[in-house]
Amino acid sequence: YRPDGTRVSSAIVVTYNFTERKEIERQLRMHEEHLERLVEERTEALRKSEKIFRNIFENATEGIFQITPEGRFMSANPALARIYGYDSPEDFVADIADIADIEKQLHVEPEQRREFIALLHKEGHVRDFEFKMCRKDGSVAWTSVNARAVRDGTGAMSYFEGTVQDIGQRKQAEEDIPMQRDLSLKLAGMSSLESALPLCLDTAMKVAHRESGGIYVKNRRKGDLELACSTGPSREFEALPSSMKPRSPAHALVMAGKPVYLAPHTEAAHPFRAGLPEGTLLSIAVLPVLHAGEIIACFRLSSRILDSIPQYARTTLEMIAMQVGAIFARIRTEHEPREREEHFSLIFRSNPAAMLLTTLDGRCVDFNRSFLTIAGYAPEEVPGRTMAELGLSLSRRKREKKVKEVRELGSSLPVRQYPHLPLGGRGGAQDRYGPLRGRGPLHGHLLPDGAGAGSRDHERLLHDPHG
């Protein structure tokens, strides 16, 4: 019946089967869930890959970069920043962005960059291309670059990407080996420190890339380290003390025998910065020169624009210091006989004591003016005469004993006194004998009784006639 009470004679019933649709919905939900899991997995894999790539990018020892054809860095890793002398990639990219002319201000040789770009356009990639680049502090960095060109859909060049390796150590070694060889060859032909020292200093400054330098040489008598030569435009260097006195802090550091390398952050109160206005010199290097374990000199190198010396350059500098030690010893050894001869001659000629040089058999080979004055002989009367002929003879037994002592004991022979020797009828005299090292003949001197003038000089001469 209808709501109004009338009777319905017939009805149509429609039935829907939702089973297939439900199945389709179920399958769709399964596919959606599967896709979501795939997306999550792929996203996680991408995050892991990105993390791995970022870790490689951040910790690589080689520089990694992306750069536009105009020279603007799109990305750079920490290693690249370090190669160029920056603390962080952000500082590096920001600083490079402010450079007006990349080609001239970043590249030591601009034509290298033009050649690099041309090769990338032509070949699409470049391997082992060597650049000389300017670091932040103004020093030069040798780099080797591997790069490829990245193009857009139209084939136009979008950017370059690649890696940079610091090859400064290899290049420095290539340059230093010929310099060390040339230094050795030149030093081998030199016979004076006056010509050898400037050459050694010039080579050391080239290796260290310093603009100021000097060499201090130890005074063997006083122990001071005295400035022997210096070069460079730095007035501050020239204003340094001309010597380092014993017991001073700077002298003590050199005598410790170890190289000292001062970086810009080193305190101003350091002994090697004493007396310099703050910030005058960015870096200072002091290298002792040794021979046979003894400090005989030192290098002092400094710069107003460059900071600390790299390790590879330090090794070369220390090898040069060793070469200098060897050349010092050789030249001094060659000069010592002449210097000793001059020193002996000065004391012998000017000594107020009467002095004779004789052969071991007593024949006079040389004499000083004091002998002529005291003994009363004319210069032409003395040469070649024996001690007996000059009235200075010992008994034969005593002379033979004296000759034996000289031959057996050499320079260790003590000074002996033989009082009351007759002096040719001219009064008594005191006679002292001793060996003369390196000459062979017996060396003696005479003093009138009671005289003491010159005694210290001539006694030292008997023990060490060469000073």
Side-chain angles (χ1 to χ4, degrees):
Y1 293 88
R2 296 186 179 90
D4 60 358
T6 60
R7 186 175 178 177
V8 177
S9 60
S10 64
I12 299 173
V13 178
V14 179
T15 304
Y16 293 96
N17 186 351
F18 292 99
T19 304
E20 185 177 352
R21 190 182 74 176
K22 290 293 184 180
E23 179 64 21
I24 292 172
E25 289 177 352
R26 186 184 67 80
Q27 290 182 7
L28 284 174
R29 283 196 300 271
M30 289 177 62
H31 282 295
E32 287 176 359
E33 292 172 357
H34 178 66
L35 288 173
E36 287 175 359
R37 285 196 301 271
L38 286 177
V39 169
E40 288 178 1
E41 290 172 0
R42 298 291 172 84
T43 302
E44 181 62 24
L46 183 61
R47 280 197 295 265
K48 288 181 178 179
S49 296
E50 185 178 353
K51 184 178 180 180
I52 291 171
F53 173 77
R54 176 56 56 182
N55 187 57
I56 294 172
F57 184 79
E58 296 289 342
N59 298 295
T61 57
E62 293 185 347
I64 301 174
F65 68 90
Q66 289 179 323
I67 188 171
T68 67
E70 296 74 34
R72 302 296 172 185
F73 281 89
M74 300 163 58
S75 65
N77 72 336
L80 187 70
R82 287 193 296 270
I83 289 172
Y84 283 88
Y86 289 83
D87 295 329
S88 70
E90 293 75 20
D91 290 344
F92 170 62
V93 173
D95 199 22
I96 297 301
D98 293 334
I99 295 178
D101 191 335
I102 294 289
E103 189 171 271
K104 291 183 179 179
Q105 293 177 259
L106 193 60
H107 295 263
V108 176
E109 299 174 357
E111 62 275 10
Q112 287 183 326
R113 182 176 183 275
R114 293 192 288 270
E115 182 184 352
F116 175 75
I117 298 296
L119 283 171
L120 279 172
H121 277 284
K122 180 181 178 181
E123 304 291 340
H125 66 276
V126 173
R127 291 184 59 83
D128 301 323
F129 193 95
E130 294 184 358
F131 278 112
K132 289 174 73 175
M133 311 295 288
C134 295
R135 286 194 178 97
K136 181 181 179 180
D137 64 3
S139 61
V140 175
W142 268 104
T143 61
S144 176
V145 179
N146 295 319
R148 74 181 187 95
V150 179
R151 301 178 185 274
D152 61 19
T154 66
M157 191 80 70
S158 294
Y159 59 89
F160 311 131
E161 61 183 12
T163 60
V164 178
Q165 183 180 6
D166 186 346
I167 59 171
Q169 186 168 352
R170 173 167 65 82
K171 283 292 183 180
Q172 184 72 47
E174 291 174 0
E175 294 176 3
D176 290 350
I177 289 173
M179 280 198 290
Q180 284 185 268
R181 180 197 60 213
D182 293 345
L183 176 63
S184 297
L185 291 174
K186 290 176 181 177
L187 290 177
M190 291 185 173
S191 58
S192 71
L193 291 177
E194 289 75 14
S195 56
L197 292 183
L199 176 63
C200 295
L201 178 60
D202 181 65
T203 303
M205 289 175 62
K206 287 178 180 177
V207 168
H209 299 288
R210 306 294 105 167
E211 69 270 13
S212 302
I215 296 180
Y216 287 79
V217 177
K218 185 179 179 182
N219 184 308
R220 288 184 290 180
R221 183 170 58 86
K222 298 189 297 182
D224 295 20
L225 287 164
E226 300 172 344
L227 187 61
C229 69
S230 63
T231 186
S234 172
R235 293 190 302 274
E236 290 81 3
F237 184 85
E238 294 168 359
L240 288 174
S242 59
S243 66
M244 300 182 207
K245 301 292 184 183
R247 295 183 296 279
S248 69
H251 188 280
L253 282 173
V254 175
M255 290 298 110
K258 295 182 179 179
V260 177
Y261 298 97
L262 303 184
H265 62 271
T266 306
E267 66 276 11
H270 194 281
F272 291 136
R273 291 191 186 276
L276 292 173
E278 186 174 355
T280 298
L281 297 175
L282 277 181
S283 62
I284 299 173
V286 179
L287 296 96
V289 176
L290 293 89
H291 180 72
E294 178 189 359
I295 307 294
I296 57 176
C298 74
F299 282 91
R300 178 177 174 129
L301 310 173
S302 56
S303 175
R304 292 178 293 174
I305 59 175
L306 302 178
D307 55 19
S308 58
I309 298 172
Q311 185 58 50
Y312 59 82
R314 295 182 184 187
T315 301
T316 304
L317 284 175
E318 289 161 22
M319 291 178 66
I320 291 175
M322 291 174 61
Q323 286 182 281
V324 173
I327 194 67
F328 261 68
R330 179 180 66 79
I331 290 177
R332 280 183 169 176
T333 299
E334 292 173 354
H335 283 208
E336 275 182 353
R338 185 178 66 191
E339 292 172 355
R340 288 185 172 186
E341 182 68 27
E342 292 172 353
H343 180 69
F344 170 81
S345 180
L346 176 64
I347 295 179
F348 181 75
R349 301 297 172 195
S350 61
N351 206 302
M355 305 183 76
L356 286 175
L357 293 181
T358 71
T359 60
L360 292 179
D361 61 1
R363 192 169 298 278
C364 179
V365 295
D366 203 356
F367 52 89
N368 67 356
R369 185 175 297 277
S370 296
F371 173 78
L372 299 179
T373 302
I374 294 171
Y377 286 104
E380 63 274 10
E381 294 179 310
V382 180
R385 299 181 68 179
T386 65
M387 297 286 284
E389 291 171 341
L390 294 172
L392 302 171
S393 60
L394 293 170
S395 69
R396 181 176 179 180
R397 182 180 59 81
K398 287 184 178 180
R399 171 157 291 282
E400 288 175 351
K401 180 181 178 182
K402 182 58 60 181
V403 170
K404 182 179 179 181
E405 287 178 344
V406 171
R407 283 176 170 163
E408 290 180 353
L409 300 179
S411 61
S412 63
L413 177 67
V415 174
R416 300 296 177 85
Q417 297 188 23
Y418 298 91
H420 311 303
L421 273 174
L423 188 59
R426 296 173 177 81
Q430 187 181 70
D431 189 26
R432 300 181 185 180
Y433 281 84
L436 182 60
R437 273 189 284 175
R439 284 175 171 265
L442 191 67
H443 171 240
H445 67 77
L446 300 169
L447 283 175
D449 286 338
S455 61
R456 287 186 181 178
D457 279 343
H458 58 244
E459 280 201 25
R460 187 174 72 249
L461 204 59
L462 284 176
H463 284 299
D464 185 2
H466 295 143

